[in-house]
Amino acid sequence: MNISWNPYTGAQHVAPAERVAVATASQFTAANIEELLQYEPDYKVLVCKDHAYALQNVNRHLEKYHSIAAKERKAIVRKYAQYTLLEPSRVPLPLPLRPPLKVLGEPIDAFLCAEEKCGYVSVNRSVMGQHCNKQHNWKSTRENRESWSLVKVQTFFATGGFQRYFTVHVAPDPMVDPLVSVKDDEDVVRILNECRRAKEEHDKELEKADEKVARTDRTGWFNRTGWPEHLARRDLAQLSHASRMPDREERLLHQAVRIVDLGIEKSVAGLSSLAIETRRWLKSANREGLDVRPLARLQNPESQRRYAGYWKRFICYCLRVVTTDEERGARGCDNDSIDGSNEGTEQEETDEEEEAEDEVEEECQDLMRDARELFPWHGNQKELARELWCALELEEEQTQVKKMLEPGWSSSERKQDLASKILGKQ
């Protein structure tokens, strides 16, 4: 039995039975070497049928992988010396979507860049993603998760750095199941499409919070906050999208994240200036009593970075909500007439109808809708958020930190709790 390594799948395979008879070191000679090696004149490469790839050093390959004696190897090398063998980088590739070359074995799955006239091919999904991002400024979104297509490819050389994949066309095998008719195929496709749509709808429903949460999922804190009722039938994926860390192009939000770090560090550094009892009130989660230990800097810096991360996402959430509110409000004002009248020409009425249709379509695609509807602005928080957004663009960093630490960002109820604790103690 002759076992060899498959360069495509990374697994060993057994040579076909008809090849076993000659796949031994004693029987490979210059006279019958065509059963193992095949020269491709169109591409000027010498391919090993057993390994399904082109050779760069014939003598070394025959010695290492087929254990052919030195005398026979020399005769074989002399036999193929008359043929021209090109360097891997100079070997011409077959035209795209031609039938596969049998001598190179079964085609493998790969990814073809979707950009027109690009033609980049890779067998690694991550490498393809990096290519699309760097070369074509592509970024994965919910609507465009992939910028490539699945294809079948082959390559002449399998060693690292010399692979140059080319696409091939693999026709469906009609003999796979001769009992299946064309009509049966159509039914199978229809059923598979229905299953796919049902799964997509099911996955979409799973993204929404259910107000009837299982009792085992409702902890005491979860019930006290009322989160299950507050988030009922909301799209959790969209809420997470609203509170995500800044994207590459969100310059002002990147600055906001930076001043959150500066503000938290300034606040933590100022704890030492407070009285011990005040810090114990701040640490306590109970209105009626102090905590045993005062509020202080966390001993583990990683913990502070983790909690700062929560604040960063919260601030990004606030600023995204207030800016989308402003944008939608500005579009609403543009639709009002100057004198307040409702009269208009027929063309204006048509334009209004088109704008209404655009608003309906935009509403369906609005990823911030749930975030705006659920956001509980307290006191003058909204005004402070607007001021902070303007400060990120116009003010110095020290002023931005000051805006971030404005007392209005904390809820008035929390401030009243703290005041009542301190006054009650006094």
Side-chain angles (χ1 to χ4, degrees):
M1 179 180 295
N2 181 34
I3 300 177
S4 61
W5 185 261
N6 187 321
Y8 301 111
T9 62
Q12 289 182 335
H13 69 277
V14 181
E18 61 272 14
R19 194 179 299 167
V20 173
V22 294
T24 61
S26 60
Q27 293 183 353
F28 275 134
T29 64
N32 65 3
I33 193 62
E34 289 86 357
E35 297 182 17
L36 179 67
L37 304 181
Q38 177 174 322
Y39 181 72
E40 292 290 334
D42 293 339
Y43 309 103
K44 294 182 173 55
V45 293
L46 185 63
V47 180
C48 174
K49 299 179 183 179
D50 199 40
H51 289 82
Y53 61 72
L55 307 181
Q56 298 179 65
N57 189 316
V58 180
N59 183 67
R60 182 182 177 187
H61 179 84
L62 297 178
E63 177 186 14
K64 183 176 181 179
Y65 296 104
H66 301 284
S67 302
I68 298 178
K71 181 179 180 181
E72 292 297 336
R73 292 201 310 272
K74 291 180 181 179
I76 294 171
V77 170
R78 284 197 301 269
K79 179 176 182 176
Y80 287 102
Q82 60 179 310
Y83 298 106
T84 300
L85 299 181
L86 296 178
E87 294 292 329
S89 60
R90 299 180 58 192
V91 174
L93 298 182
L95 293 175
L97 300 179
R98 288 288 185 89
L101 298 175
K102 293 183 179 181
V103 71
L104 296 180
E106 290 294 327
I108 61 173
D109 291 331
F111 307 99
L112 173 66
C113 180
E115 286 292 326
E116 188 176 359
K117 297 182 180 180
C118 177
Y120 181 79
V121 177
S122 175
V123 295
N124 188 304
R125 186 186 297 270
S126 299
V127 172
M128 177 57 70
Q130 294 172 8
H131 162 82
C132 294
N133 178 265
K134 293 180 180 179
Q135 301 298 325
H136 309 298
N137 295 322
W138 167 83
K139 184 169 61 176
S140 179
T141 62
R142 292 186 65 183
E143 294 76 18
N144 184 22
R145 293 191 179 276
E146 297 180 348
S147 186
W148 54 82
S149 57
L150 186 66
V151 292
K152 291 289 188 179
V153 299
Q154 290 181 310
T155 178
F156 286 112
F157 298 92
T159 54
F162 294 111
Q163 300 98 325
R164 294 168 61 206
Y165 297 101
F166 52 91
T167 58
V168 295
H169 174 68
V170 180
D173 188 356
M175 300 304 294
V176 170
D177 189 354
L179 299 179
V180 177
S181 64
V182 175
K183 184 178 183 302
D184 292 333
D185 285 341
E186 295 175 354
D187 291 338
V188 170
V189 172
R190 177 179 55 80
I191 294 173
L192 290 176
N193 288 335
E194 291 177 356
C195 291
R196 177 179 53 80
R197 286 193 294 269
K199 184 179 184 302
E200 290 175 353
E201 293 176 0
H202 177 67
D203 291 342
K204 190 173 182 180
E205 284 298 318
L206 289 179
E207 293 178 350
K208 296 183 178 180
D210 191 351
E211 55 186 341
K212 297 180 180 179
V213 183
R215 186 176 300 275
T216 55
D217 293 336
R218 302 187 69 160
T219 63
W221 176 86
F222 209 55
N223 286 328
R224 181 178 178 181
T225 58
W227 283 117
E229 291 76 20
H230 182 68
L231 299 176
R233 311 312 300 168
R234 299 292 183 171
D235 193 320
L236 298 184
Q238 292 187 7
L239 293 177
S240 177
H241 177 80
S243 64
R244 71 193 186 281
M245 292 294 283
D247 296 331
R248 183 183 303 176
E249 65 274 8
E250 294 181 304
R251 179 177 58 85
L252 295 184
L253 288 186
H254 278 286
Q255 179 63 12
V257 164
R258 169 174 166 77
I259 65 172
V260 166
D261 281 328
L262 297 176
I264 289 179
E265 182 57 33
K266 181 178 180 180
S267 302
V268 172
L271 286 174
S272 59
S273 64
L274 298 177
I276 295 295
E277 284 197 2
T278 302
R279 289 162 60 190
R280 289 176 65 191
W281 280 116
L282 290 171
K283 182 68 177 292
S284 176
N286 187 358
R287 292 189 182 192
E288 291 74 24
L290 293 80
D291 197 275
V292 177
R293 294 177 295 180
L295 185 65
R297 180 187 291 274
L298 297 172
Q299 294 182 357
N300 185 1
E302 184 60 33
S303 297
Q304 179 171 321
R305 284 194 291 269
R306 183 171 69 253
Y307 291 122
Y310 300 150
W311 272 103
K312 292 174 185 177
R313 294 188 61 171
F314 172 69
I315 293 299
C316 289
Y317 186 97
C318 294
L319 295 177
R320 285 190 179 105
V321 169
V322 76
T323 52
T324 54
D325 270 347
E326 295 292 331
E327 292 172 0
R328 293 173 67 85
R331 289 198 297 269
C333 293
D334 292 340
N335 293 334
D336 297 335
S337 60
I338 297 177
D339 59 359
S341 64
N342 294 325
E343 298 179 358
T345 64
E346 182 177 348
Q347 179 62 37
E348 291 173 345
E349 293 177 357
T350 303
D351 293 341
E352 290 176 358
E353 292 177 359
E354 293 178 352
E355 290 175 0
E357 293 176 357
D358 292 341
E359 289 177 0
V360 171
E361 182 178 355
E362 180 183 355
E363 189 71 18
C364 296
Q365 300 175 352
D366 186 5
L367 299 180
M368 293 292 296
R369 181 178 57 188
D370 284 351
R372 285 195 305 273
E373 293 177 357
L374 291 178
F375 198 90
W377 294 109
H378 291 287
N380 62 339
Q381 282 183 339
K382 193 169 187 178
E383 184 61 32
L384 291 171
R386 293 194 186 100
E387 293 179 6
L388 175 60
W389 185 255
C390 294
L392 293 173
E393 180 71 41
L394 304 174
E395 302 290 349
E396 297 180 351
E397 199 167 71
Q398 186 176 0
T399 305
Q400 296 171 5
V401 175
K402 183 179 178 181
K403 293 289 184 182
M404 180 73 72
L405 298 177
E406 286 285 350
W409 279 104
S410 60
S411 69
S412 57
E413 182 181 348
R414 175 61 180 165
K415 289 189 291 183
Q416 291 172 1
D417 289 348
L418 179 58
S420 63
K421 284 182 179 181
I422 297 174
L423 292 176
K425 181 63 178 177
Q426 293 174 348

